[in-house]
Amino acid sequence: MTDACLAPIKIQPSGGRLIDGDCMIYLVSDKVSSFGWLNYSDNNVLDADDFYQGYRVGNSGAVVQFQLSAKCSVKKLNARHVIYSVAGPILVSGAFREIIECHASDGVEFLPVVIEADSPGVSEFWALNPLRIEECVDMDRSEFRQTNFDMSNPCYSFDYMVMRDAWEYDAQIAICAEARNRWVVSQAIAAACVRANLKGLVFYSAFDMT
């Protein structure tokens, strides 16, 4: 059993922000934005939206392809444990993948990634595909507006997002139903990341988007 599989600990400050140890689920973010570091290749057979639907896409045999932009060096990229891009899926490092698999092996899918760069030595990253969609937001305590007129399938724009204390069902990782471009993890995963000293990750029980 690796350190990532140990029992959860009370979460301590991470990335300069104090995490509420009583909250059970957290939004995952990065301390410094990685948007614009990678370009999603036109050769990909999977659309970015395919990774936010809660179903498996790996049976296509696809390898997710990116190009490293001039905004980022290989050294800078390799220091990160989560990478966000405008048009592609979320990428996680091998260390982050190990922790997620330890707690949610049947709740997530990882696809291999190829990152083209002018310099060699790019670390191994994986495209993250959570297989559950869960209601995660405490709408009574959040500030938002509905951006469509479909009451059966509403879309929201949030100014302030507060996480629920827990999911209705037992889960470790999920796509946020109220904001499909967001993903949420359990306290067990967040605590394991803090214990493993995965730098650059920030876990929020509430998030100001203004």
Side-chain angles (χ1 to χ4, degrees):
M1 181 178 292
T2 67
D3 288 344
C5 298
L6 296 174
I9 59 172
K10 183 175 177 63
I11 300 175
Q12 299 299 321
S14 172
R17 181 182 176 93
L18 182 65
I19 302 171
D20 177 6
D22 295 327
C23 182
M24 296 301 295
I25 61 177
Y26 300 94
L27 279 171
V28 184
S29 187
D30 44 1
K31 188 175 181 181
V32 177
S33 175
S34 55
F35 281 107
W37 289 12
L38 296 176
N39 299 316
Y40 197 50
S41 173
D42 293 334
N43 298 325
N44 285 300
V45 298
L46 294 171
D47 188 81
D49 289 342
D50 291 330
F51 292 88
Y52 298 97
Q53 305 304 318
Y55 53 70
R56 293 187 180 274
V57 296
N59 54 8
S60 66
V63 175
V64 181
Q65 302 177 57
F66 286 89
Q67 290 90 33
L68 185 64
S69 78
K71 297 179 181 180
C72 182
S73 66
V74 169
K75 181 179 180 180
K76 191 175 180 180
L77 183 76
N78 288 348
R80 302 304 290 269
H81 291 287
V82 62
I83 304 289
Y84 294 95
S85 61
V86 175
I90 297 161
L91 304 188
V92 296
S93 67
F96 200 176
R97 172 182 174 166
E98 179 184 352
I99 288 173
I100 294 171
E101 284 189 317
C102 227
H103 296 276
S105 59
D106 60 348
V108 66
E109 179 183 44
F110 296 95
L111 272 68
V113 173
V114 171
I115 299 175
E116 299 176 4
D118 292 335
S119 302
V122 176
S123 295
E124 187 175 55
F125 287 92
W126 298 87
L128 177 72
N129 182 29
L131 300 177
R132 296 183 66 159
I133 300 173
E134 297 286 349
E135 293 181 347
C136 302
V137 180
D138 186 329
M139 301 297 276
D140 291 335
R141 293 193 291 163
S142 299
E143 298 176 9
F144 62 92
R145 59 188 179 278
Q146 187 170 336
T147 58
N148 66 351
F149 298 100
D150 185 353
M151 298 306 295
S152 62
N153 187 30
C155 296
Y156 304 105
S157 175
F158 286 90
D159 292 325
Y160 185 66
M161 182 183 288
V162 180
M163 294 294 97
R164 296 184 177 195
D165 291 336
W167 281 302
E168 184 176 352
Y169 303 101
D170 183 33
Q172 294 292 326
I173 183 171
I175 298 162
C176 179
E178 297 87 352
R180 290 289 188 95
N181 62 337
R182 300 280 175 177
W183 59 298
V184 181
V185 299
S186 67
Q187 180 172 304
I189 290 178
C193 289
V194 173
R195 185 190 304 112
N197 198 27
L198 298 194
K199 297 184 182 301
L201 296 175
V202 190
F203 301 95
Y204 292 101
S205 57
F207 193 74
D208 188 345
M209 299 180 176
T210 58

